[in-house]
């Protein structure tokens, strides 16, 4: 089970407020101790396009790294990879989409153009021993083209694997997928790409992020992207709201009996670091009453933590 915390990248890229670099560093450091496996720290994209993440190099330089956490970044091209290498990333995420129109709006090229651009990026990263994730945006719906056929999404996912990515993150960019649409896509995808190379990335526009996560879990998916406080969204996908909240994903998976070694109270503490900077309509607020142990007020995901007292 891997929880990939995308809030420092997907969350902060979509905020109108500029969060100071020092606060981002404190936020990532707080997330590092929460038990999440991977943190997408920032993006080495054009700072003109996404000014909120223009300090990516400085954030990487200043964070305190924990051995058990993978620190990754989004890269769109060779220049982004150069910057990511210089920052000492553990992993990179490249990105394309199942929708031609969204791709053009997001990265100024077609699907084919993006794969051509990304192929040498993936090759160089792998040669350097850096694992690569490939995001497949608009896997279900597109803000411009509407419903995306599952076959079209599967075809692009296979092309991502074809250029060498280790893992594909199936992304519901505008948060519109239903559980049956998730099931339809996974029915077609799993015979082609094994579950252990698939992540899911749900935005929560219509409140279906958690149920879509659980549907994917029932299909054997074990890599889940999420964002504390449910912040997130793509500036180039009108109508998209935040990612599904990490605390909600962890609680839901634990409720299903999954072992998720993530401490919700520590997630909440990290989330509160952003309180002073973000608009106050974040989708998910820390739930102070949530399943915390009555004795130590600490929640690890499986009842109580250190003192063994059930919540
Ligand atoms: P372009 O304009 O086609 O590229 O942009 P270009 O090569 O012609 O470069 C234009 C300018 O950008 C030049 O600067 C380059 O130096 C600069 P200028 O001469 O104008 O001053 N540039 C860069 N600067 C820094 N780092 C770089 C870089 N590359 C070029 N790596 C490009 C193409 C992809 C670069 C651009 O469109 C871009 O950066 N777009 C941002 C896309 C983005 O970040 N989108 C949000 C993330 S994706 C997402 O949220 C979805 C996801 O969460 C999954 C889901 O939910 O679906 C992952
Ligand atoms: Mg996203």
């Amino acid at each position: 089970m891997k929880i990939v915390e995308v809030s420092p990248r997907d969350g902060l890229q979509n905020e109108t407020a500029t969060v100071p670099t020092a606060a981002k560093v404190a936020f990532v450091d707080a997330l590092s101790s929460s038990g999440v496996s991977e943190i997408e720290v920032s993006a080495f994209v054009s700072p003109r396009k996404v000014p909120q993440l223009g300090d990516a190099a400085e954030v990487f330089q200043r964070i305190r790294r924990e051995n058990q956490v993978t620190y990754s970044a989004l890269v769109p091209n060779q220049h982004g990879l150069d910057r990511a290498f210089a920052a000492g990333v553990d992993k990179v995420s490249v990105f394309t989409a199942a929708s031609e129109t969204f791709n053009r709006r997001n990265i100024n090229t077609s699907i084919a153009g993006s794969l051509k651009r990304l192929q040498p990026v993936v090759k160089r990263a792998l040669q350097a021993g850096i694992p690569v994730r490939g995001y497949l945006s608009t896997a279900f719906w597109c803000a411009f083209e509407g419903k995306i056929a599952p076959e079209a999404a599967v075809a692009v996912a296979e092309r991502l694997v074809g250029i060498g990515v280790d893992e594909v993150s199936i992304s519901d960019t505008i948060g519109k997928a239903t559980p049956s649409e998730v099931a339809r896509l996974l029915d077609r995808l799993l015979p082609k790409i094994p579950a252990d190379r698939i992540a899911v990335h749900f935005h929560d526009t219509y409140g279906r992020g958690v149920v879509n996560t659980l549907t994917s879990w029932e299909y054997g998916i074990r890599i889940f992207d999420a964002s504390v406080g449910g912040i997130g969204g793509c500036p180039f996908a009108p109508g998209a709201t935040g990612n599904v909240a990490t605390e909600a994903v962890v609680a839901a998976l634990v409720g299903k009996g999954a072992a998720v070694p993530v401490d919700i109270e520590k997630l909440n503490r990290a989330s509160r670091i952003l309180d002073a900077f973000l608009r106050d309509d974040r989708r998910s607020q820390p739930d102070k009453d949530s399943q915390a142990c009555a004795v130590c007020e600490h929640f690890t995901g499986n009842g109580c933590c250190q003192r063994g007292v059930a919540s």
Side-chain angles (χ1 to χ4, degrees):
M1 178 75 69
K2 262 174 61 175
I3 301 291
V4 180
E5 180 58 47
V6 297
S7 53
R9 194 278 303 169
D10 205 330
L12 299 184
Q13 75 180 11
N14 204 38
E15 289 295 328
T16 43
T18 303
V19 178
T21 305
K24 292 179 182 174
V25 171
F27 180 50
V28 173
D29 286 348
L31 291 170
S32 286
S33 65
S34 69
V36 297
S37 313
E38 189 169 323
I39 302 175
E40 201 167 71
V41 174
S42 195
F44 293 101
V45 298
S46 160
R48 264 189 225 255
K49 291 283 174 80
V50 186
Q52 293 90 334
L53 303 183
D55 58 356
E58 196 182 344
V59 175
F60 264 98
Q61 194 183 21
R62 290 171 57 182
I63 53 173
R64 206 178 48 243
R65 302 193 194 202
E66 300 286 346
N67 287 337
Q68 71 282 6
V69 179
T70 299
Y71 296 91
S72 66
L74 207 62
V75 303
N77 52 17
Q78 297 270 29
H79 182 32
L81 186 66
D82 292 338
R83 294 176 61 210
F85 278 165
V89 299
D90 296 328
K91 180 172 176 177
V92 293
S93 310
V94 298
F95 52 113
T96 186
S99 149
E100 292 286 0
T101 314
F102 174 72
N103 246 337
R104 289 215 175 270
R105 302 275 185 130
N106 195 34
I107 52 174
N108 196 25
T109 186
S110 61
I111 297 171
S114 68
L115 291 162
K116 194 169 167 206
R117 184 191 280 172
L118 293 176
Q119 186 161 26
V121 175
V122 176
K123 191 171 170 198
R124 268 181 71 212
L126 295 177
Q127 277 168 350
I130 300 289
V132 184
R133 144 180 288 213
Y135 278 104
L136 177 67
S137 290
T138 63
F140 306 93
W141 288 86
C142 170
F144 310 102
E145 294 185 8
K147 178 97 185 82
I148 301 293
E151 292 75 12
V154 171
V156 184
E158 284 189 277
R159 289 171 76 186
L160 272 170
V161 171
I163 65 166
V165 304
D166 297 289
E167 133 195 325
V168 181
S169 181
I170 300 297
S171 303
D172 182 16
T173 313
I174 61 168
K176 198 171 160 62
T178 61
S180 55
E181 287 165 352
V182 172
R184 267 201 294 281
L185 179 52
L186 292 177
D187 279 336
R188 287 160 179 76
L189 190 63
L190 285 169
K192 316 261 187 185
I193 303 174
D196 62 1
R197 294 183 66 185
I198 298 172
V200 285
H201 179 105
F202 294 115
H203 284 263
D204 204 27
T205 315
Y206 301 98
R208 298 193 280 262
V210 167
V211 67
N212 287 340
T213 300
L214 292 180
T215 302
S216 310
W217 182 77
E218 277 159 10
Y219 268 81
I221 305 300
R222 293 292 180 268
I223 311 172
F224 301 103
D225 296 2
S227 164
V228 290
I231 58 172
C234 179
F236 309 102
T241 65
N243 294 78
V244 64
T246 315
E247 51 276 32
V249 163
V250 171
L253 289 168
V254 168
K256 283 282 187 184
V260 191
V262 177
D263 183 328
I264 290 186
E265 183 45 34
K266 286 188 176 169
L267 290 177
N268 288 342
R269 266 183 241 153
S271 184
R272 283 193 286 265
I273 291 172
L274 299 179
D275 281 354
F277 307 103
L278 301 190
R279 52 178 195 250
D280 60 6
D281 63 346
R282 261 187 293 162
R283 294 180 58 76
S284 178
Q285 293 295 318
D287 176 1
K288 296 188 185 61
D289 301 321
S290 74
Q291 303 176 62
C293 166
V295 175
C296 61
E297 295 184 344
H298 204 160
F299 180 74
T300 57
N302 274 325
C304 179
C305 57
Q306 298 99 345
R307 303 190 199 179
V309 178
S311 52

